[in-house]
Amino acid sequence: METGILYLCATPIGNLDDMTFRAVKILKEVDVIAAEDTRHTRKLLTHFDIHTPLVRYDEFSKVQSGEKILALLREGKNIACVSDAGLPAISDPGADLVKLAVGSGITVCPIPGANAALSALICSALDTTKFTFAGFLPKTAKNRRDILTELSTRTETLIFYEAPHRLKKTLTEMLEVFGNRPAVLARELTKVHEEFLRGNLADLAENLNETLGEYVIIVDGKKNFDESETAEISTENFIDAYKKFIAQGIDKKTAIREVAKKFNLSRREVYNAVIDI
């Protein structure tokens, strides 16, 4: 008996009109829909007059539900996996279901559609030729700082997801590690109050007021410099700048921050150079 197909079906990230004709067709035709939040997904199905049975598949139920879904696929049932918004398996437990299916020889088929990260990137006016999607940063301070430090030398555009209650803290930490780079905040994408906030990390962190909705953070990569530019930002030059700040009576911490901003360096780079002397 042939196995079923696991469809990864994109859902709207805000505007329901972003649902594709193909996605509606697939959701009507499959035997079961695996949903992260069945109550949320049921509202979407009702809007499009879809009556396919739902099964819960989220971070807490994925072990038990995953085996049940896999059994149905082996029986020849076709199943669609959906996220609460956007593409399943992107910062989403659907990724584990894909691994289970592929490991069992099940066909996995993408049904493309809306995606918050790419939607924010193409409107950012930052470089779109090369980029790294980092998703949500860890909640623990050390792990979060480790990942930011690892990404600080990357030259491509960086894309992050962040919840509103952690946004200001995350921007502040990015400023400390990356230096004061150009950045864009995108929120409420495709919704009525869609908004793009542009500037640099320092301005965005300082002027952030109302934080509603999920955010996409787009950060410019570390700049590549030719030899003449490299000479201008040599260790000797930014150490000289540091000494001038100190001579003006500015405290060490502030001096390091100002040098990092001036030369587009991370505070860690400047701090390490200061320690060396």
Side-chain angles (χ1 to χ4, degrees):
M1 183 172 59
E2 291 186 1
T3 60
I5 297 174
L6 175 64
Y7 293 96
L8 302 180
C9 190
T11 55
I13 58 175
N15 193 319
L16 291 177
D17 288 342
D18 289 334
M19 191 75 168
T20 68
F21 291 115
R22 187 185 180 200
V24 172
K25 179 175 181 289
I26 290 295
L27 292 179
K28 287 184 176 181
E29 292 179 349
V30 293
D31 297 288
V32 176
I33 298 172
E36 188 176 7
D37 183 335
T38 54
R39 290 173 299 178
H40 178 85
T41 301
R42 189 167 281 111
K43 294 177 183 178
L44 177 70
L45 301 186
T46 299
H47 181 83
F48 290 102
D49 195 27
I50 300 170
H51 305 285
T52 306
L54 284 168
V55 60
R56 182 184 175 193
Y57 183 84
D58 60 14
E59 194 65 36
F60 305 103
S61 65
K62 65 182 182 182
V63 175
Q64 184 177 5
S65 295
E67 291 301 324
K68 291 181 179 178
I69 292 169
L70 200 59
L72 291 172
L73 288 164
R74 286 171 178 155
E75 292 173 7
K77 305 291 186 183
N78 292 324
I79 296 179
C81 175
V82 298
S83 175
D84 285 346
L87 288 169
I90 302 294
S91 293
D92 175 81
D96 295 304
L97 187 56
V98 173
K99 291 177 183 177
L100 280 176
V102 170
S104 298
I106 304 294
T107 299
V108 180
C109 178
I111 310 298
N115 174 261
L118 294 181
S119 297
L121 175 66
I122 61 175
C123 293
S124 68
L126 298 179
D127 183 23
T128 61
T129 57
K130 293 190 300 179
F131 56 89
T132 289
F133 174 70
F136 287 98
L137 291 168
K139 294 181 180 179
T140 58
K142 183 184 183 305
N143 292 341
R144 191 166 57 246
R145 182 60 66 101
D146 288 345
I147 289 179
L148 288 175
T149 301
E150 179 184 341
L151 293 170
S152 65
T153 58
R154 305 294 288 267
T155 58
E156 68 272 24
T157 303
L158 304 174
I159 307 174
F160 303 86
Y161 286 162
E162 192 52 278
H165 63 279
R166 290 197 299 266
L167 182 62
K168 190 174 185 67
K169 183 176 183 180
T170 297
L171 290 174
T172 302
E173 290 180 338
M174 287 179 174
L175 177 61
E176 293 173 353
V177 177
F178 293 159
N180 196 20
R181 299 184 189 179
V184 177
L185 297 180
R187 74 178 191 97
E188 297 290 277
L189 288 172
T190 77
K191 299 179 184 178
V192 174
H193 300 294
E194 177 180 273
E195 184 177 22
F196 292 90
L197 304 174
R198 310 172 194 277
N200 54 47
L201 287 171
D203 291 337
L204 292 173
E206 183 177 350
N207 299 316
L208 193 63
N209 295 316
E210 186 180 45
T211 54
L212 297 174
E214 297 296 317
Y215 281 80
V216 182
I217 307 173
I218 313 289
V219 183
D220 203 10
K222 185 177 177 65
K223 295 301 182 186
N224 283 322
F225 299 95
D226 60 29
E227 290 184 4
S228 61
E229 289 173 319
T230 302
E232 293 177 5
I233 61 163
S234 66
T235 302
E236 182 179 357
N237 284 344
F238 70 73
I239 288 299
D240 285 344
Y242 169 79
K243 289 179 177 178
K244 288 179 182 178
F245 282 121
I246 296 299
Q248 295 170 16
I250 296 174
D251 64 272
K252 294 178 181 179
K253 184 177 180 180
T254 302
I256 289 173
R257 184 178 68 243
E258 292 303 317
V259 171
K261 287 182 184 180
K262 181 177 180 179
F263 292 94
N264 195 29
L265 300 166
S266 71
R267 294 187 189 183
R268 177 62 58 183
E269 289 176 280
V270 180
Y271 175 80
N272 289 338
V274 170
I275 291 298
D276 287 342
I277 61 168

